[in-house]
Amino acid sequence: MTLNYFYKTMPSPVGELKLVASDDGLIAVLWENDDPKRVLFYAAVQESSRHPVLREAEQQLQAYFAGKLEAFTLKLAFRGTEFQRKVWQALTTIPFGETRSYGQIAAQIGHPAAVRAVGAANGRNPISIVAPCHRVIGANGKLTGFAGGLTAKAFLLRLEAKDQLLRVA
């Protein structure tokens, strides 16, 4: 069986995003200056502005950036190890406007000692923003590494904070 991957780009307040999907769902939301080794594809990726998953992903991301969407309803097709998929799925449970530490995610997936492994999996999250790895911060409350850069991470957290007073270190 051959997998077909499709992509489209979209402008956003945090730079151009590249959306990648298959018929199974959204596979990736990549950053404009993303490290090409961070998320690898093992199939040809062809441009398509008409793929229904990509069109829906773009519409939901536009609504999110406009402050009109707090929960994505996209079908996600994570590609990674079993451990990575557990971490990425846990990210989707972090409520809009809230944050979690790497330790909290490790405990949630049943591996409380695997804080560093959770950090590594978080760094390889292919579906940025939708699987909200930006909501994971250091145990000390400080912002830590983010594929889109710390400026983008701070922007996303402020966007979600709305009228709440959120200090971003």
Side-chain angles (χ1 to χ4, degrees):
M1 178 173 104
T2 304
L3 277 179
N4 293 313
Y5 292 171
F6 304 92
Y7 81 91
K8 76 179 314 281
T9 58
M10 67 171 281
S12 84
V14 289
E16 186 174 83
L17 300 175
K18 182 176 184 178
L19 313 178
V20 183
S22 71
D23 292 335
D24 294 336
L26 187 64
I27 293 173
V29 176
L30 304 174
W31 301 93
E32 192 168 352
N33 297 312
D34 219 325
D35 178 351
K37 295 176 186 167
R38 191 178 72 80
V39 178
L40 301 175
F41 297 101
Y42 298 100
V45 181
Q46 55 189 332
E47 189 169 6
S48 172
S49 61
R50 296 183 179 192
H51 193 281
V53 173
L54 296 174
R55 288 172 58 175
E56 182 63 25
E58 182 176 29
Q59 289 173 355
Q60 288 191 30
L61 282 162
Q62 287 171 339
Y64 168 81
F65 287 121
K68 297 177 181 174
L69 181 80
E70 294 186 2
F72 292 96
T73 58
L74 298 165
K75 183 176 178 190
L76 306 181
F78 288 117
R79 306 277 194 260
T81 67
E82 182 180 346
F83 182 84
Q84 287 173 327
R85 289 191 314 269
K86 281 183 184 178
V87 171
W88 300 334
Q89 191 59 47
L91 298 176
T92 67
T93 68
I94 304 171
F96 182 89
E98 294 185 21
T99 59
R100 298 290 183 271
S101 70
Y102 295 100
Q104 288 172 309
I105 297 295
Q108 179 180 339
I109 65 168
H111 297 279
V115 175
R116 287 179 187 250
V118 165
N122 197 59
R124 290 211 175 263
N125 172 28
I127 310 178
S128 297
I129 304 169
V130 177
C133 51
H134 61 277
R135 295 180 190 156
V136 182
I137 60 175
N140 61 3
K142 293 196 183 235
L143 299 189
T144 56
F146 185 60
L150 293 183
T151 301
K153 185 172 189 164
F155 174 88
L156 296 171
L157 291 173
R158 280 194 306 273
L159 174 74
E160 293 184 10
K162 292 190 177 181
D163 294 330
Q164 301 171 31
L165 181 61
L166 177 68
R167 294 181 64 118
V168 179

